[in-house]
Amino acid sequence: MLRTRFIIIALILVPQMVWAEGYFEKIGWIESGNTNSMALQYPQLVEELYRNNGEQLIWFDLQQSSQLEFQLELIDNAGVNPMLSNHLKKMRFYRKSNRWYEYDLLATDSMIAYMSYAQLAKQHGKQWFFEERVVQSLPAPSPQAIQSLYASVQSQQLGALIDSYTPDSDSYQSLVKTYLRIASEREEIVPLYTQNTHLKRAGDVLERRDALLARLQQVDIDLFGVSSEISYFDNQLEVAIKQFQRMHGLKPDGVIGPKTIRWLNESSNDRLKTIAINAERTRIWPKQRNTLIVVNVPSYEITYWYGGEAVFESQVIVGRETRPTPVMETNLDSIILNPTWNVPWKIMVEDIIPNVQRDPEYLARQNIKIITSWTSSELINPNLVDWQGTNPKAFPYRMRQMSGANNALGLYKFNTPNKRAIFLHDTPSKHLFDKESRAFSSGCVRVKHADRFATLLLENQGLNIDQMEQAGSQSNKAIPLKRRIPVHIIYQTAWAEGGVVQYREDIYRLDR
């Protein structure tokens, strides 16, 4: 009955088409040559679907087609697949033009592409979301996926099928909810916030308090009790500013300065793009939270999950822009107490040798020894090296910093064997944890409260933590873990906490 009613509606909305050589032209759906301009990616699959469906239109439920369009909109705003972006543009054109046959065909082709994209995201997401944009056509999804599509068309359950290929985490849902709210309000003209002095504190006069309140409302800051009738910086507004600063990873001091103003004036379109790319990234992050270590680079934070609970959360220092900490997965297999540090070649060449050329006492002060190779214990006397005449890139030896309080790795190294030599460790430079932005390392991750982290790791594996005390000054004391712990280093500049979206600086400029 529902299908019959739709056919009647379709006959009213869509004029009879001429017969032509193509399948859809032959059945009178579209005019000659229009299938070429539609650029279907899977013409044979699409044709088989419609044959199987009795040559009836598929997307007569506008709620389901809108659901598909929204998923394509997120991908489009994330800027990761030009083909799907182009499909979305054409679908919206056909919808506005009441060209429902073309719309239907292209929606079906887009659905197949979306299923393929979702299936391949886990495997290729790092390249898509961080290294390069997808430019090639997507292969057809798996045979099982195609069978699911056939079944969903027959049962008119395309909405449920779209849901099954869409992330379902709480964070994703909160990102989508915020995206929809911002998108619904983006046409509203909200003036930029400016102030006549470098800083504004509680008690100061605010020349543009109305613009400030409007900007805070854009990101859903709670303004309960904040009056719009006064023109100064009152205590209630200070609370709202601190909330806004925490939301953006700023020091919550309640002072409106350049960093706070920059975030206040972030455009709706830029926020939508940030939310979209981070929503798509949730497809590739781990879902299990039984035993897991997650480092989020832009938030400078580490979380250790055990038994489904976050048992350790702390600040971290990550790689600076010229030596970024990579997005990667590895496994923590042991804890090294009082570690020595085999200085990576790049750091030796770019940092240490130039320091020695400026200061001959640098190696002795840093307790760094010169060795002939990693497999040899033979030491080279630094006084015998012509440092001023040395080309750092041609330096024939290696360097090792001995264990101790000033060792770059601190007192704990959390060993994660990988080709990139990226691992977690302690640091003697604990004052750097007081900084808002903490991108100072050469790629490895420095962990605040490394001693507590080490203790928890050993306790949760039933290992004897007395070994830590017994190690004393013993160098490179390794304590193997009974079970390796997955470590995921992720890059998320927007995510949700308690239903509230948090934003962070795109320190490596990977969002764009």
Side-chain angles (χ1 to χ4, degrees):
M1 180 65 179
L2 181 59
R3 175 172 294 176
T4 303
R5 278 169 46 196
F6 172 69
I7 293 171
I8 294 171
I9 294 170
L11 288 172
I12 295 171
L13 290 176
V14 188
Q16 184 65 33
M17 303 298 176
V18 300
W19 288 61
E21 291 187 4
Y23 168 68
F24 296 106
E25 296 161 353
K26 284 181 180 179
I27 62 174
W29 273 33
I30 57 177
E31 295 176 348
S32 176
N34 277 13
T35 51
N36 294 330
S37 65
M38 293 172 65
L40 297 180
Q41 299 297 305
Y42 315 96
Q44 185 175 349
L45 275 174
V46 171
E47 179 179 332
E48 290 172 357
L49 264 168
Y50 283 93
R51 286 188 188 276
N52 186 70
N53 195 45
E55 299 177 349
Q56 302 300 313
L57 300 181
I58 290 172
W59 298 89
F60 53 84
D61 186 334
L62 293 181
Q63 182 175 347
Q64 293 181 147
S65 60
S66 296
Q67 188 178 344
L68 175 61
E69 283 188 31
F70 178 70
Q71 294 305 321
L72 299 182
E73 180 181 322
L74 286 177
I75 296 169
D76 175 49
N77 240 338
V80 295
N81 193 301
M83 183 268 287
L84 286 174
S85 295
N86 191 46
H87 268 34
L88 175 64
K89 181 179 178 180
K90 290 181 178 179
M91 283 171 63
R92 287 178 167 169
F93 170 74
Y94 292 142
R95 179 195 283 266
K96 290 179 181 177
S97 305
N98 288 332
R99 292 166 64 175
W100 297 105
Y101 284 139
E102 286 100 327
Y103 180 92
D104 210 83
L105 291 172
L106 196 55
T108 300
D109 195 68
S110 299
M111 181 66 197
I112 297 171
Y114 176 67
M115 294 167 72
S116 175
Y117 166 87
Q119 284 188 326
L120 294 172
K122 195 70 176 176
Q123 179 182 356
H124 299 291
K126 286 188 180 64
Q127 290 76 35
W128 294 355
F129 306 146
F130 299 108
E131 297 173 16
E132 61 187 20
R133 298 309 187 226
V134 181
V135 293
Q136 292 88 5
S137 299
L138 293 164
S142 67
Q144 295 84 356
I146 295 299
Q147 288 302 314
S148 297
L149 179 56
Y150 271 88
S152 297
V153 169
Q154 291 299 313
S155 62
Q156 301 175 12
Q157 294 295 320
L158 285 166
L161 184 65
I162 295 168
D163 282 343
S164 70
Y165 283 89
T166 301
D168 60 356
S169 66
D170 291 342
S171 182
Y172 177 85
Q173 297 301 327
S174 293
L175 286 171
V176 166
K177 181 180 177 182
T178 299
Y179 181 99
L180 290 169
R181 182 185 58 75
I182 294 175
S184 69
E185 300 170 354
R186 67 176 153 180
E187 300 303 326
E188 298 178 10
I189 299 176
V190 180
L192 297 179
Y193 172 72
T194 57
Q195 54 191 33
N196 60 0
T197 58
H198 187 65
L199 302 175
K200 289 286 187 179
R201 295 179 171 84
D204 291 345
V205 173
L206 293 173
E207 299 79 11
R208 305 205 62 198
R209 183 184 168 101
D210 54 343
L212 176 59
L213 296 184
R215 284 279 157 183
L216 291 172
Q217 285 177 322
Q218 277 197 313
V219 289
D220 220 18
I221 293 294
D222 183 9
L223 295 179
F224 180 77
V226 178
S227 173
S228 59
E229 303 298 323
I230 57 178
S231 59
Y232 67 93
F233 196 160
D234 60 321
N235 292 335
Q236 286 77 16
L237 181 56
E238 183 183 33
V239 171
I241 292 295
K242 288 180 178 179
Q243 181 187 350
F244 179 87
Q245 290 170 330
R246 281 190 290 270
M247 180 186 288
H248 295 86
L250 304 175
K251 182 180 179 181
D253 56 8
V255 177
I256 305 175
K259 290 182 179 179
T260 301
I261 292 174
R262 191 195 73 74
W263 277 113
L264 282 167
N265 289 331
E266 180 89 346
S267 73
S268 294
N269 284 336
D270 283 344
R271 285 193 187 272
L272 290 175
K273 289 180 181 297
T274 297
I275 293 172
I277 183 61
N278 284 284
E280 290 306 303
R281 286 173 181 161
T282 63
R283 295 177 183 275
I284 67 174
W285 305 141
K287 293 183 178 179
Q288 74 87 10
R289 289 292 187 271
N290 185 27
T291 302
L292 180 71
I293 295 168
V294 176
V295 175
N296 184 19
V297 173
S299 70
Y300 308 110
E301 290 177 332
I302 183 174
T303 304
Y304 166 38
W305 297 79
Y306 181 74
E309 304 256 342
V311 296
F312 177 80
E313 295 177 284
S314 187
Q315 297 175 331
V316 297
I317 293 167
V318 300
R320 54 187 179 269
E321 188 176 339
T322 54
R323 297 179 188 172
T325 300
V327 174
M328 60 181 291
E329 298 102 38
T330 182
N331 290 286
L332 174 60
D333 68 359
S334 59
I335 300 173
I336 313 296
L337 307 179
N338 301 315
T340 57
W341 180 40
N342 292 332
V343 180
W345 184 85
K346 185 174 184 179
I347 296 176
M348 180 181 73
V349 168
E350 295 183 2
D351 299 342
I352 294 182
I353 293 178
N355 281 334
V356 178
Q357 291 172 333
R358 289 189 294 268
D359 177 8
E361 299 302 316
Y362 181 83
L363 292 179
R365 194 165 56 252
Q366 297 297 323
N367 201 14
I368 294 175
K369 306 296 183 184
I370 304 175
I371 54 179
T372 56
S373 69
W374 296 132
T375 58
S376 171
S377 58
E378 180 184 352
L379 299 179
I380 304 298
N381 186 340
N383 295 323
L384 300 179
V385 178
D386 177 15
W387 293 107
Q388 300 308 317
T390 293
N391 177 357
K393 292 185 177 180
F395 192 69
Y397 307 121
R398 296 291 177 262
M399 293 184 179
R400 177 176 290 150
Q401 187 180 37
M402 310 313 290
S403 60
N406 293 323
N407 185 280
L409 307 186
L411 301 179
Y412 304 90
K413 174 184 175 182
F414 305 95
N415 200 39
T416 52
N418 61 85
K419 293 180 180 179
R420 299 180 176 183
I422 298 295
F423 47 85
L424 317 180
H425 63 85
D426 185 19
T427 178
S429 304
K430 293 181 170 51
H431 65 282
L432 294 178
F433 289 113
D434 295 331
K435 305 289 186 180
E436 279 180 17
S437 300
R438 295 188 291 277
F440 300 117
S441 84
S442 294
C444 288
V445 178
R446 308 176 194 173
V447 182
K448 187 177 183 180
H449 304 308
D451 53 344
R452 283 170 40 196
F453 185 39
T455 300
L456 270 173
L457 290 170
L458 295 181
E459 284 178 345
N460 290 337
Q461 298 226 352
L463 293 169
N464 186 359
I465 61 174
D466 292 339
Q467 293 182 69
M468 292 172 58
E469 297 178 1
Q470 293 168 1
S473 59
Q474 183 179 350
S475 180
N476 266 357
K477 169 65 176 176
I479 305 179
L481 301 182
K482 293 180 180 178
R483 297 171 299 280
R484 296 190 305 171
I485 302 175
V487 177
H488 287 252
I489 299 178
I490 71 173
Y491 193 93
Q492 197 80 356
T493 55
W495 71 96
E497 289 181 6
V500 177
V501 172
Q502 306 289 311
Y503 301 89
R504 293 297 183 271
E505 196 73 38
D506 181 16
I507 55 177
Y508 301 151
R509 293 193 285 275
L510 297 178
D511 284 3
R512 303 291 181 256

